[in-house]
Amino acid sequence: MKARQNNASRSPWFWVPTLYFAEGIPYFLVNVISVTMFKRLGMGNADLAMYTSLLYLPWVIKPLWSPLVDVFRTKRWWIVVMQAAMTLCFTALALSLPGKVGEPLGAFVPALVIFYISAMLSATHDIAADGFYMLALDEHRQSLFVGIRSTFYRIASVFGQGVIVVVAGLLETRMDDIPRAWTATLLGASFLLLLLTLWHKFLLPAEPLALHDPVQQEKRSIGRAFATFFRKPGIWLAMVFMLLFRLPEALSVKMLTPFLLDTTDVGGLGLSTAQSGLVYGTVGVIALTLGGILGGLWSARVGLRKALWPMALSLALPCAVYLFMALTQPTRIWVVYLCVAFDQFGYGFGFTAYMLYMMYFSEGEYKTSHYALCTAFMALSMMVPGFFAGMLQERLGYVGFFILVMLCCLATIGVTALLPRHIRPDYGKK
């Protein structure tokens, strides 16, 4: 009993940073690193974009099974079990890769199936981790550590999109065997997840017991949350905004890594795996983070309504750097770094408006459930355009594809024009 009490009173510094690092790593392995890996293993752009875009699906539909996480066992149990299961999945994934580059699509089926299972586990882990954070910490400490959790999720982003890809690239060069290099990389990622699982098994605090166990009440609450969400004033405009505001980025994101890796004779930039990890996964993520921080500070000063237009343009228009690179195919790596950093900084700055609007629209009795539904639309907005991105790129080439991306900026501008009068003038100001 005494051990349980000591465990329950353990400082959040022991587990908040590692929990959100552990939340980020599998997400980026599933949704970002999978693109680089399949590209290096020889999968075509159309198949690559289509099958990896479907990996967003668990994050789209996770509100459907979030009540199960609430009423069955504890959030702590779900966290540890999901982390252990993901460790096994990524180990199995490492052993299921095709033996040669350029194998038929059927050779990728085992890896794709394991990726889809991992996506379900990762989405479930997100539900449990966010719920545990709110249960284990009082309101004051939730506010105190919100910056810490965000920082370590961003660190996971740099580690996942940058460090892991760079390691894979270095192993490709050293081993001179791309499938073996990615097998070794995924085994290393699995070992990292194993260490995090063991850490949380022994150091995650005991979860406070719920004051009630309302299974039927929970079902009624979820049903009412769904019903009230779709009866909110302005729901149709909100859904259109959440689906179309990020359309340029949603269409282009699955093709950015192939664009960096493809040879110049097919319109790409011809970077190595390690270079692409540094460009997009490290420099790009750091610029994205800085843009998000500055976007948050500025929106807190002027409010969402005034910030909306500058942020919308900041999110959409920097995509032009990819059209510029497709046309000029720069050979100096610093030009690529600069272009990607510029685009990602603008996206991070503009994405703040998207997040603030979701929080604004979620206000009310079922704020948590409504925000979860908003994040489902957010995931859907990335999944559907990404599904078609590879096919469009193969038909149009990289120059034609990035021209289409720029035309999609009209969707961002159109939905932004409809929104300001539906937002309180003071929302978001200090």
Side-chain angles (χ1 to χ4, degrees), residues 128-371:
D130 293 340
F132 184 86
Y133 179 86
M134 291 186 285
L135 282 174
L137 300 180
D138 57 33
E139 186 174 323
H140 169 69
R141 290 197 295 175
Q142 286 181 35
S143 299
L144 183 65
F145 279 89
V146 68
I148 301 301
R149 60 179 268 187
S150 176
T151 298
F152 276 83
Y153 191 85
R154 290 296 185 191
I155 290 173
S157 175
V158 173
F159 189 86
Q161 299 182 74
V163 175
I164 292 179
V165 175
V166 170
V167 168
L170 294 175
L171 289 175
E172 286 180 7
T173 302
R174 184 170 182 175
M175 294 180 170
D176 195 25
D177 187 325
I178 292 174
R180 280 184 61 212
W182 279 98
T183 295
T185 301
L186 289 173
L187 287 174
S190 301
F191 183 69
L192 174 61
L193 285 173
L194 175 62
L195 294 178
L196 290 166
T197 303
L198 294 173
W199 179 271
H200 293 131
K201 168 66 178 174
F202 294 106
L203 292 178
L204 206 62
E207 185 174 327
L209 295 175
L211 297 178
H212 48 78
D213 185 23
V215 178
Q216 294 303 321
Q217 180 180 332
E218 182 71 26
K219 290 179 180 178
R220 290 195 298 270
S221 176
I222 293 296
R224 182 164 172 76
F226 270 88
T228 55
F229 179 81
F230 290 102
R231 289 203 298 264
K232 275 178 169 278
I235 178 61
W236 293 108
L237 175 59
M239 288 193 296
V240 169
F241 177 83
M242 287 186 280
L243 290 173
L244 295 183
F245 184 69
R246 295 195 298 167
L247 185 59
E249 180 75 13
L251 186 63
S252 64
V253 68
K254 287 294 180 184
M255 287 297 101
L256 296 185
T257 295
F259 174 58
L260 296 176
L261 293 173
D262 265 333
T263 56
T264 54
D265 59 307
V266 295
L269 299 185
L271 302 188
S272 68
T273 304
Q275 286 175 322
S276 74
L278 286 171
V279 170
Y280 190 64
T282 304
V283 173
V285 171
I286 292 171
L288 177 77
T289 303
L290 291 175
I293 292 170
L294 289 178
L297 293 173
W298 190 60
S299 61
R301 182 175 181 179
V302 303
L304 174 59
R305 191 165 175 174
K306 286 187 177 180
L308 187 60
W309 266 113
M311 286 185 165
L313 296 175
S314 173
L315 180 139
L317 297 183
C319 291
V321 298
Y322 298 109
L323 177 58
F324 164 75
M325 288 193 288
L327 288 167
T328 63
Q329 293 184 308
T331 56
R332 293 184 174 89
I333 192 67
W334 67 265
V335 176
V336 182
Y337 279 125
L338 186 62
C339 287
V340 172
F342 178 72
D343 169 66
Q344 291 298 290
F345 179 87
Y347 179 70
F349 186 81
F351 185 64
T352 305
Y354 190 85
M355 297 297 291
L356 282 172
Y357 179 73
M358 289 199 302
M359 289 187 278
Y360 173 74
F361 189 74
S362 301
E363 286 187 332
E365 181 181 2
Y366 296 100
K367 184 174 182 178
T368 302
S369 297
H370 287 178
Y371 186 77

Side-chain angles (χ1 to χ4, degrees), residues 58 61-82 120-135 207-208 210 212-215 218-219 222:
I61 62 175
K62 71 179 184 180
L64 298 178
W65 71 85
S66 59
L68 177 65
V69 179
D70 283 325
V71 301
F72 180 74
R73 305 296 291 259
T74 65
K75 307 290 190 303
R76 188 186 192 280
W77 181 88
W78 282 99
I79 288 168
V80 173
V81 170
M82 292 302 103
M120 294 288 291
L121 297 172
S122 181
T124 305
H125 179 271
D126 290 359
I127 297 167
D130 293 340
F132 184 86
Y133 179 86
M134 291 186 285
L135 282 174
E207 185 174 327
H212 48 78
D213 185 23
V215 178
E218 182 71 26
K219 290 179 180 178
I222 293 296

